[in-house]
Structure formats: C-alpha cells, structure tokens
Amino acid sequence: MIKNRSNIAKVPDCCRAGLISSLLPLLLFALLCLAWPGVIQGRAIQVEMPWIPSLDLSLRFRLDGLSLLFCLIITLAGFFVSLYASSYMAGKQHLGRFFVYLHGFMLAMLGIVTADNLILLFVFWEATTILSYLLIGFDHEDATVRDNARQAILITGAGGLFLLLGILLLKTAGGSMILSQWPGFGDSIREHALYPAIFVCVLVGAMTKSAQIPFHFWLPNAMSAPTPISAFLHAATMVKAGIYLLMRFHPLLGGTHLWMGTLVVVGGITALWGAVQALAPCDLKRILAYTTLMALGIMTLFLGGRSAPSLTAATTFLMVHALYKASLFLAVGSMDHQTGTRDLRHLGGLLPAMPLTALAVAAAALSMAGFPLFFGFIGKEIMYAGALSEDLFPAFSTLAALFSNALMTAVSAVIFITPFLGRRPADMGPVREAPWTMRLGPAVMGGLGIIFGIVPEWVSANLIEPAVFAFHPSREEIRLSLFHGLNLPLLLSMVTLALGTVIYRFREALRAFVKNILARLRVTTPGIYQVILDGFIQMASGFAQRFQNGSLHRYLAVIVLAVVMVTGWPWVAHIPSAFIVPDPRGLIMPTGICLFILAAAGLVVTARRRLVAIGGLGAVGAGVALIFLMFGAPDIALTQLLVETLTVVIVSLVLFRLPPMEGGRKRKGLRKWMDAGLSVSVGVLVTTWLMGILQKPLDRSLTAFFEINSYVAAHGRNIVNVILVDFRSLDTLGEICVVVLAAWAGVALMRSAREG
Amino acid sequence: MEVLLSLLVGLMTAAALYLMLSGDLVRFVFGFSLLGNSINLLIFAAGRLTHTGPPLIDPGRHSLVLPAANALPQALILTAIVIGFAMTTFLLILLFRTYGQTRTLDADEPAFLAELSEADTVHGSSGASGKEGS
Amino acid sequence: MQSDILKTATRLMVGLMLVFAVYLLLRGHHEPGGGFIAALVAGTAFALFAVTEGPARVRRAIRLRPSTLAASGLALAAGAGLPALFLDRPYLTGLWWKSGDFSLGTPLIFDVGVFLAVLGSILAVLLALEEN
C-alpha cells in the first residue's frame, strides 16, 4: 500500500493544460457574480434560441435564484478542482482527454441547472451520465475500474430512461415543458390520473442520480475515479442533479401525501444507512462516499416536506455539504498524493508535515460535525426546525436527522484526528506539504464554511432565500441566524454533539458491529444488480447462440417464416373475392413465354450439373426480357438481356474455379418438405399480393407528370431515361454508388484472396 | 395476362426460395438471381400492362399522343436490374472467397460453421490464413 | 482461344460494340438506350475481348485503372448537379443550353457519369476474376 513518493520527484509539479483550462470556470464564476445582484432581486435572466421549431423545442435557458446557487457551486468547485487536478494529475497519461471530460462535464452540469425546457434539461442530464462514465472509468486499464464505471452508467442510465418516460407522461397529462411555467400547472397535474406514474418515473430518475437506496451502491464504487473527479462529481455537483430535479419538480408534483411519504422514508433510510456504513471502511475516500450518501438522503428527506423551514433546510444543507465535502475530498486526495496511501491504518501524525492541509480539513470537519460558529451548525439548526415543522412523520424525520448527524460528527472526528493527530506509523517516509494548487481549494472552501457560519444572515438573503423562492412560491421568509434563542433545535444540536462524542468513543466496537452486520446480509442490492446483469448477459448470449448460430438455412427459414406470418395473416382476411377473368384472345404468345420461363426455372431447381443450371438461369432472364419487350419496355428488356449475358460470363468465371455440384449433399426427408412448404407458401402469398394489387385502381398521376414534362421541361423523348437522369437523378446517383461500392468490395476480396 | 403473370411470379418466387434454402451456396446464388427476376416482374406487373406502347415521345411532339406503358416502374426496374447484377457478382466473389477458406460449399457442413465461429473470435483472417495452407 | 479467325472477328466485334455503346449512350435521352445500357454493352464487349486476348491486353487498351474509371464516373455524375447550386436551384436540377433542335444539358453529363461508373465497376470485377 505504501509507496515512497520521494523517488518520483521528477514528475512535473503541475501541468499547463489544467492551469490554463481552470480559467474557464473562473471566468464563468466572474460572469455569474455580475448577474448575481439582478437575479436575487427577482430579475431572472432568460435566453431563448430556436432549436427544432416543428417540435416546439427551443434552446431556452433561465437563470433564477436556484440556478444561480447551483451555478455558483459548480463553477467555484470546478475552478478549484481543475486547479487541483493540474498538480494531482501531473505526469499522468491522457491529460488532454481528462480536462476535456472535466470541463465538458461542468458545462453539461451548468446546462442541467439553467435549462428552462425539460427536454433540454434531459439532454444535459444524459450528457452528465455519459461524461461521468468516462471520468469514473478514466483509468480504464484496470478491470475493476471498468466494472465500476459500467455499474454507474447502467444505473444512472436506467434512471435517465425513467426520467424520459416521466417527461413523456407529463406531456401526455398536459403538463408544460417549460420549467418556469410550472407553478401554474401544479394543481391540474397533481389531480391527473397519470400523476402517480409521473411521480414514480421522475423519482426513479432522481434517486438513481442522487444515489438513494436502493440505487445507492454505485456511488461508493465510483470512488475508483481520480480524486478530483470524486470531489467534483460525487460530492459537489453530479449527485446533486437528482436533488435539483426534485427541487424543480416540487411546485409541480410536490406536496401530496405520496410525495411526502416516499421522499421522507427513502431519504431517511438512505441517510441512516449511509451514516452507519461510513463507520466501516478504512479507505478515507470510501468513508467520504458513505457520508455523501447520508447527505443526499438528508436533502431528499427535507425535500419531502412542504413547509418553508424544510425546504430551506434542504437548500442550506446542499451548500454546507458542497463546501465541506469538496474540501475534504480534495484534502484526502492531497494526503494520498503526498504519502501514497489513503488508508486510515497507515496514516498518522501528518500535522507537522502538512499544516495547511490540516487546517483546511479541520475547518471542513468542524463544519461537517456542526460545531457552533461553523456553517454546518447553521445547517443543522434549520434542519431540526424543518424536521419539527413537517406535516408527515415529523418524529421520524427528526430522529433520522439526529442519528445521522451524530454519526457524521463521529466520522468527521475520525477523518481529522486519525491522520493528523494520530500516532505516526513507523513505515511512513518523509512527507512534504502539497503544492499551492492543491492547497488553495480545500483552504478556500473550508474557510467559506467559517465565514458563512459567522454571517449567516448575508448568506440567507443573498443565496438561500432567492433559491428557495424559485421553487417554493409561498415566499415565506426564513432567515438563518447564528442564535435563535434557547429552543428545541438548539437542544437537539447539543444532543447531536454529545451523541457524536459517545459514538466516537466507541467507534472500534461499532465498526466491528457494522462490519459484522454487512457480512451477514444475505440479500444486498449490489447482489441483486449482479444477478440481473449476469442474467441479462446470459440471456443475450443464449439468444444470440440460438438465432445467430451460423446456419444460413436457419436464418433464411426464420426470415421467410416471419414474412409469411406477418404479412400472410392479415392478408388472408382481405383476400380479393373476384379476380379479373383473363381474355383468352391474344394470350397464346404470353402463355408460351410464361411456360418457357417456368420450364427454365424448373431446370435450375432440378439441375444436377452446374452448366445446366446456368443455362436455365440465362433462359429465365431471356424470357423475362421478352415479357418486358412485349409490354412496352424496350429499355429494361435491353438491360435485362445484357445483364443476363454478363451474369453468365461472370458466373462461369467463378464456378470454373469451384468443385462440381455433384459433391453436394441432398436434402432429405422432413427438411426437404419443410423447405418446399415454406417456399410454396411464400409463392402463394406473392401471387395473391399481385392479384390483390391489380384489383385496386392505380394512381398514375406521377407517371402523368413525367409524361407531360419529359419533353417540355427536361428535353428528352425517352421518358424512362429522363426519369433516371433528370427527375430522379439523386436516386440514380445513390444507385451507381451502390454498384461501384459492390464492385470495389468484390475486387478487394479477390485481392485479399490472392495475397492471403 | 395479369393472372398469368401473378401465377408466374409466385412460382418463380417459390422456386427461388427453395433454391436459397438448399444449403448449397451456389444454389443460393442462383436462387438470389431468380428472386431478383421475379420481384422485377412483380413491380412491372403492378404498374399495369394495359398499354403496350413504349413510353417514347414521337419526334415533333411535345408529349405522348397515344397512351403508353407506365414509365415509372420501368425506371425503377432498370436500376434494380443493374443493382441486382452488382449484388449477384459480389455474392459470387464472396462465395469464391469462402470456398478458399473453408474448402466447402455446403453451408451446413461443420467445417463451414467452425470457420465462421473462429472468424468471429479472432476478428479477422489470421485464423483463416493458417487454414488455407492445410 | 488461339484461333486467328476468332481473334480477328472478335476485334471487329469489340470495335463495333464499343461504337454501338457510345451511340446508345448519346441517343439515350430520346430513344431506348442511356448510360446503364451503354455501359452494359461496352462491358460485354470488354468481356469478350478479355476472354479471347487475356485481361492484360484489356488493361493496356483502356489505359486507366477500372477503379479510377468508376470513381471518375461517380465524380462526374455528382459534379453534374453542382452548377444548379450556383444558380440557387436544388442540387441536380437539369440545366439546358438549347439552340434550335439541338440541346445540351447537365443530365447528359450525368448520364456519361453513370456510364463510366457502371463500366468501371464491371471492368474491375471482370479483370480481377480473370486474373485470379
């Protein structure tokens, strides 16, 4: 586990691609700051460009208070993360690709939170799914990494499909695709019969993206991504997309008992389960991943409420969490980068070596633990106020929040105390402080946790309230402040800290206990996922082996049978009752030709020698050409004759080089009769088709157009040729392309035969 | 005439499919060629055979004087014949190449199927070149 | 195929067929014929030539490589649609230059492209098969 980093000191400190590209988020952040004052006064910025007008789709973006909050978090985290990555990733391969993915992801994320059209939002939603797959699987040479990336894309991708279904159902139910029009639609949608289906689909989309139980397990596995990515995607931004979705849908779908009950239960269980599991691992990143689960669960839980304190609690905690979690992830990455490990058992006594990182971790951990004077404390206060004000299950909400917060307090203590104050392991080499690019992000984001904790009123007025107003139309003012007086939330905060200390004290016992429980679980969601995945792959390969077994006969028989069944069945019901009785006069010639063709075709079928078959084939072609000639088609008659001649030449050239046909096996018994039955049934079908077609009147208007315009407009007397080279010349161009391609492919095959 | 052609097309199609189902690759190509002919006839007949004059405008006139055969299906069939020819040629070359690798023209023969699955797994002709030497 | 009489007869035949092919190509807009048919006639002529005199002589006689012929045919046909674009008309719209009873237009160029593309394809396959 432990590698001494000093021997790879030749690696450059910093890569230029990262430094330069980190200007993009910085610039965006500056622009957002310019827009900030207007947006919080209620003047949302809106841009609209036509996209697909025929489908009533437009590129419509809108920046309101909620979008602004998200955009600020995304660009700020994006700046620090790419700055950080410029050092963290220095010397690694494919850096260009890495930063393209990273910034592409950031832009997609900004797209999600600013799109005002639901379809547009969905497009960006899918883009983040794909880009996160590429980022999680960045070290794609490792099989585990690939599995984890696949797990993430399968689960979030499936959620995306549900979301799409929900969007389509919403449209069916008469809902608007424009997000900013939703507040007016809420009542009609909530009373619609499709409401439960819409709700479930949207919820599954949000739950998969934001890793709610039972779809949570991809998130801890996604920690195989490079640490800056974990900080950016799995702490600050992407997993919050589901939370954002729930916020946006709140005015449309929220407030019902279905919404409240489901969200509170799902969120509460996720929070508790994530917090409990955070005690078990020794890998710092995994610990952080489980605490992220807890945070996402808490946000979901509070979005289940409909009172202003609940929604304010969710929004505040979103900010609190983004700041401390991104900071912690980056700091853990620094420890990993400087010491070569992020395993708690091999870390200790880093305080003298990495004092600035230690300071950032301390600030972030205290905010996470919810100590007074830190932003986390404010978040916790409003959380308890919100939980107590809920309509449904207030006791459950309060207890879930209390226990998960207490566990968080203990975990935050573990994260800070063990690596920095714990005993220094004997096998640890000399450690240097991380470069400034890697210290800046944790320090600033940790520091913001203190500043915001001291001036909560400013944060409340400039960030939280405008955001809550965007999805909570009742506009009830909830001001955050440092001290609300001696009340129940304050008491609960104190209980949390005390409980946290107790849990920290008995953490080893608890860890053993949790590990024991985890080991005893028989049915787990990752297990179910694996069973489904394996079953799916098995089914696909079984299916492929049955239908793609390489047998030409099997393929053809299946295709022919499908044709007979699909077209034959409806056709039988509409079979024409009366056919035109042919006029016997003048039919002697055509009948003769038809009999000639039939005889020749029979010869091809029965021939036991190849030469006879070739002759029969030529005779069929000649007979067909005669029919063309008799019924006024000299051009195709000529073409047919010439093609037959050339075909005979080429068939002879090829078959001359092949063994005689006599060696071939004969069809026997059942197979022969089955083949004959299939062929005859298609023959009967084709005959009745043609008879049926001939019963119906023919629309000759297109032919009439060609007949009238052929000479007048296109200066040609041969109407067939004029159609080919003038009226329908684009088709002809395509057709000669096919001919040339077939010839080239044939020549290439011959050449490879000669060389290979 | 239409009834006659309908029967002819049906019988030709049946014969073509019977050939294609035989499992012998050469017969498959013959059947393919025959099927092309029968489908061309089907399109031709579907355009009606009421008028037998060719769709050519007499010199000195600006449009057809007497009703003529339907020009539209003729244009379709003309290119269909040429494309059918190109496809038959390609199939023949493919057949030739397949025989070079598998030494059999029987699509149901185990050697043929084995070669197919081998080509599937190695994604190329590296497995095939060894075979040709034997 | 060493008979001198057959060789001489074939040369004569091939020459006549090629002339006939060009005739069919040029009259195709007004009478039965056109690029496809002319290419097939010329292809048959070359097939005959190749059978009697061997593929190498055919290659020498046509000078260009068959695939070049096919590609230039495609280019010509595709290019015949471009002038219409300059006049702000849809791609491949026929443009005509007419004087009296004689008329010349881009569809004729298109037809020549069809001729070359199909002939090139036939020759490519034919010669590859003969030489194998």
Side-chain angles (χ1 to χ4, degrees):
Chain A
M1 251 339 243
I2 297 206
K3 276 175 281 169
N4 196 339
R5 287 268 163 168
S6 58
N7 60 351
I8 45 169
K10 287 171 203 120
V11 171
D13 254 6
C14 192
C15 79
R16 234 181 305 157
L19 271 186
I20 294 170
S21 68
S22 66
L23 289 177
L24 173 71
L26 190 64
L27 185 73
L28 289 171
F29 184 77
L31 289 175
L32 285 167
C33 287
L34 288 180
W36 196 341
V39 170
I40 58 170
Q41 283 164 21
R43 293 196 304 272
I45 297 170
Q46 194 166 308
V47 187
E48 187 164 6
M49 279 167 283
W51 179 18
I52 311 175
S54 55
L55 292 178
D56 198 20
L57 279 180
S58 60
L59 295 173
R60 194 179 153 112
F61 295 95
R62 192 164 186 275
L63 188 74
D64 60 6
L66 185 60
S67 305
L68 178 76
L69 175 65
F70 270 93
C71 286
L72 287 171
I73 294 175
I74 293 164
T75 50
L76 192 67
F79 168 64
F80 287 127
V81 163
S82 69
L83 192 66
Y84 180 93
S86 68
S87 288
Y88 184 86
M89 299 295 287
K92 296 254 173 68
Q93 279 198 314
H94 307 308
L95 279 180
R97 196 188 294 174
F98 177 83
F99 284 104
V100 168
Y101 292 163
L102 180 69
H103 293 294
F105 174 83
M106 183 188 73
L107 293 176
M109 200 60 216
L110 289 173
I112 290 184
V113 298
T114 52
D116 197 27
N117 184 315
L118 195 53
I119 305 285
L120 189 59
L121 186 148
F122 178 74
V123 171
F124 286 119
W125 181 277
E126 292 294 284
T128 59
T129 301
I130 292 165
L131 285 162
S132 78
Y133 166 74
L134 294 170
L135 284 166
I136 296 171
F138 188 72
D139 295 321
H140 57 265
E141 275 153 27
D142 184 339
T144 325
V145 171
R146 290 200 301 271
D147 280 349
N148 292 339
R150 183 177 64 178
Q151 193 177 54
I153 197 175
L154 283 181
I155 291 174
T156 52
L161 288 181
F162 270 93
L163 178 60
L164 181 62
L165 193 62
I167 292 172
L168 297 177
L169 287 174
L170 178 63
K171 205 168 165 80
T172 314
S176 167
M177 289 290 110
I178 305 295
L179 271 65
S180 52
Q181 293 172 358
W182 279 357
F185 272 95
D187 289 332
S188 67
I189 295 296
R190 278 190 289 269
E191 280 154 21
H192 200 276
L194 282 174
Y195 170 74
I198 299 172
F199 168 70
V200 168
C201 288
V202 171
L203 185 69
V204 170
M207 280 169 70
T208 51
K209 201 82 164 179
S210 285
Q212 299 295 302
I213 280 179
F215 308 114
H216 61 291
F217 52 91
W218 68 265
L219 182 58
N221 290 336
M223 291 304 122
S224 56
T227 302
I229 295 310
S230 307
F232 194 39
L233 270 67
H234 307 124
T237 58
M238 186 177 88
V239 290
K240 304 269 169 63
I243 302 298
Y244 174 79
L245 196 72
L246 291 178
M247 288 176 169
R248 279 293 178 207
F249 270 96
H250 201 279
L252 192 67
L253 304 177
T256 61
H257 281 266
L258 182 63
W259 170 281
M260 289 193 284
T262 318
L263 260 61
V264 168
V265 170
V266 167
I269 292 175
T270 306
L272 280 172
W273 184 236
V276 167
Q277 276 193 294
L279 284 175
C282 290
D283 177 354
L284 275 170
K285 265 181 88 176
R286 265 191 110 76
I287 297 178
L288 290 178
Y290 283 116
T291 62
T292 305
L293 285 185
M294 168 270 174
L296 294 168
I298 289 287
M299 287 175 227
T300 309
L301 186 153
F302 283 103
L303 285 174
R306 60 180 170 189
S307 66
S310 284
L311 300 178
T312 309
T315 317
T316 312
F317 191 56
L318 176 97
M319 262 191 86
V320 173
H321 175 255
L323 288 175
Y324 78 67
K325 191 52 66 64
S327 170
L328 284 178
F329 259 118
L330 293 180
V332 164
S334 297
M335 290 184 229
D336 188 9
H337 192 255
Q338 301 307 114
T339 66
T341 179
R342 49 172 203 254
D343 190 318
L344 274 178
R345 288 165 298 188
H346 299 289
L347 285 169
L350 288 175
L351 183 61
M354 304 175 72
L356 289 164
T357 307
L359 207 59
V361 171
L366 285 170
S367 182
M368 176 170 162
F371 267 86
L373 286 185
F374 286 87
F375 195 30
F377 177 74
I378 313 285
K380 204 157 54 179
E381 290 272 274
I382 184 71
M383 222 185 265
Y384 291 131
L388 293 168
S389 74
E390 294 231 355
D391 299 319
L392 211 58
F393 315 135
F396 173 77
S397 305
T398 313
L399 283 177
L402 179 70
F403 277 104
S404 25
N405 277 326
L407 284 160
M408 276 314 95
T409 308
V411 171
S412 62
V414 171
I415 291 171
F416 178 70
I417 294 172
T418 312
F420 290 102
L421 305 178
R423 200 169 47 81
R424 188 184 168 93
D427 52 356
M428 185 182 271
V431 179
R432 288 190 305 159
E433 177 62 289
W436 70 272
T437 42
M438 291 170 66
R439 289 195 311 257
L440 189 65
V444 171
M445 285 189 282
L448 282 177
I450 307 177
I451 297 170
F452 287 178
I454 296 170
V455 290
E457 290 83 2
W458 183 86
V459 182
S460 183
N462 290 294
L463 285 165
I464 309 286
E465 264 181 18
V468 176
F469 284 168
F471 69 99
H472 185 59
S474 73
R475 304 187 79 87
E476 194 180 335
E477 279 198 17
I478 300 290
R479 274 290 147 97
L480 303 175
S481 65
L482 204 49
F483 188 65
H484 283 280
L486 288 170
N487 54 10
L488 198 52
L490 185 66
L491 183 67
L492 286 170
S493 286
M494 293 304 133
V495 171
T496 309
L497 286 177
L499 197 59
T501 318
V502 173
I503 294 172
Y504 179 74
R505 177 75 183 74
F506 295 104
R507 65 185 185 282
E508 292 303 332
L510 272 170
R511 173 178 299 168
F513 179 66
V514 170
K515 276 193 165 168
N516 197 9
I517 291 180
L518 289 177
R520 276 160 188 265
L521 281 181
R522 284 273 173 79
V523 182
T524 57
T525 40
I528 295 170
Y529 163 84
Q530 201 57 43
V531 167
I532 293 175
L533 187 67
D534 291 346
F536 194 75
I537 291 171
Q538 213 163 22
M539 191 188 79
S541 84
F543 198 78
Q545 269 166 14
R546 180 150 307 174
F547 287 95
Q548 296 279 309
N549 61 347
S551 162
L552 181 66
H553 183 259
R554 172 79 62 92
Y555 294 174
L556 262 178
V558 168
I559 294 171
V560 171
L561 199 64
V563 169
V564 172
M565 291 201 307
V566 171
T567 59
W569 182 244
W571 181 238
V572 170
H574 296 282
I575 213 153
S577 46
F579 293 109
I580 302 166
V581 181
D583 183 4
R585 282 167 300 167
L587 270 185
I588 299 154
M589 228 343 231
T591 315
I593 298 175
C594 288
L595 286 177
F596 171 71
I597 294 175
L598 278 180
L603 201 62
V604 183
V605 173
T606 54
R608 303 242 45 86
R609 290 172 57 202
R610 217 163 260 155
L611 207 59
V612 178
I614 296 174
L617 213 56
V620 170
V624 172
L626 267 178
I627 292 183
F628 289 150
L629 197 60
M630 278 182 64
F631 290 95
D635 279 281
I636 52 175
L638 203 52
T639 313
Q640 172 80 23
L641 268 180
L642 289 162
V643 159
E644 280 318 318
T645 318
L646 273 171
T647 307
V648 168
V649 172
I650 287 177
V651 168
S652 319
L653 274 176
V654 172
L655 297 189
F656 182 61
R657 295 163 164 81
L658 296 177
M661 191 137 83
E662 288 75 21
R665 259 188 296 187
K666 275 183 78 172
R667 273 182 277 199
K668 291 193 279 293
L670 186 63
R671 159 106 184 246
K672 187 170 179 172
W673 290 109
M674 268 172 60
D675 286 355
L678 265 181
S679 314
V680 169
S681 50
V682 176
V684 171
L685 208 60
V686 171
T687 299
T688 45
W689 278 349
L690 186 49
M691 286 180 168
I693 292 170
L694 294 169
Q695 296 295 303
K696 304 272 175 196
L698 177 72
D699 179 7
R700 271 187 70 131
S701 56
L702 204 54
T703 306
F705 171 83
F706 293 140
E707 284 171 350
I708 292 166
N709 288 301
S710 174
Y711 188 73
V712 180
H715 310 284
R717 298 184 188 282
N718 181 356
I719 300 173
V720 175
N721 185 264
V722 171
I723 294 175
L724 283 175
V725 300
D726 201 331
F727 291 129
R728 308 291 312 153
S729 50
L730 196 61
D731 292 352
T732 311
L733 186 61
E735 281 147 5
I736 56 175
C737 284
V738 172
V739 171
V740 171
L741 277 179
W744 275 345
V747 171
L749 268 179
M750 291 300 291
R751 197 166 295 157
S752 73
R754 220 176 313 157
E755 286 160 7
Chain B
M1 188 60 214
E2 278 85 354
V3 177
L4 208 58
L5 265 189
S6 304
L7 288 172
L8 178 66
V9 166
L11 283 166
M12 276 172 78
T13 310
L17 280 176
Y18 188 70
L19 280 169
M20 288 171 83
L21 283 166
S22 78
D24 180 286
L25 292 177
V26 178
R27 281 167 178 266
F28 178 87
V29 178
F30 289 166
F32 182 81
S33 178
L34 201 57
L35 188 67
N37 271 327
S38 75
I39 299 300
N40 285 343
L41 267 184
L42 176 91
I43 299 172
F44 188 61
R48 301 301 186 274
L49 308 172
T50 3
H51 309 293
T52 53
L56 300 169
I57 298 167
D58 292 331
R61 303 268 178 188
H62 288 292
S63 62
L64 284 173
V65 186
L66 295 169
N70 197 342
L72 184 58
Q74 293 193 18
L76 297 181
I77 293 167
L78 201 150
T79 47
I81 293 173
V82 178
I83 288 188
F85 166 64
M87 285 298 133
T88 308
T89 310
F90 180 72
L91 268 182
L92 277 167
I93 295 176
L94 204 57
L95 176 79
F96 178 69
R97 187 86 171 81
T98 312
Y99 179 73
Q101 282 188 17
T102 62
R103 293 283 148 205
T104 177
L105 289 172
D106 187 350
D108 296 327
E109 186 149 307
F112 184 82
L113 297 175
E115 183 71 30
L116 275 182
S117 57
E118 192 183 341
D120 266 358
T121 47
V122 299
H123 294 293
S125 56
S126 58
S129 53
K131 188 103 182 173
E132 260 175 326
S134 64
Chain C
M1 300 276 182
Q2 296 303 317
S3 152
D4 281 344
I5 301 173
L6 185 65
K7 268 191 179 174
T8 320
T10 313
R11 275 188 203 169
L12 195 66
M13 272 289 286
V14 168
L16 279 175
M17 281 171 85
L18 288 179
V19 172
F20 184 56
V22 173
Y23 166 70
L24 278 176
L25 171 65
L26 292 181
R27 76 165 203 166
H29 214 53
H30 297 298
E31 303 289 329
F36 281 109
I37 293 170
L40 290 168
V41 171
T44 314
F46 281 118
L48 201 61
F49 196 35
V51 168
T52 50
E53 308 254 347
R57 289 222 46 187
V58 179
R59 276 199 193 277
R60 269 207 302 281
I62 55 172
R63 289 196 181 86
L64 288 171
R65 278 172 44 209
S67 51
T68 316
L69 210 60
S72 58
L74 277 187
L76 200 62
L82 290 179
L85 286 182
F86 291 111
L87 297 178
D88 219 15
R89 312 269 290 276
Y91 179 61
L92 280 171
T93 308
L95 296 177
W96 289 91
W97 175 76
K98 206 167 166 151
S99 100
D101 205 33
F102 180 76
S103 53
L104 200 68
T106 52
L108 290 181
I109 300 172
F110 184 85
D111 217 8
V112 174
V114 170
F115 170 77
L116 290 176
V118 176
L119 179 60
S121 304
I122 295 172
L123 281 175
V125 169
L126 203 69
L127 294 177
L129 279 172
E130 287 264 8
E131 283 162 0
N132 198 273

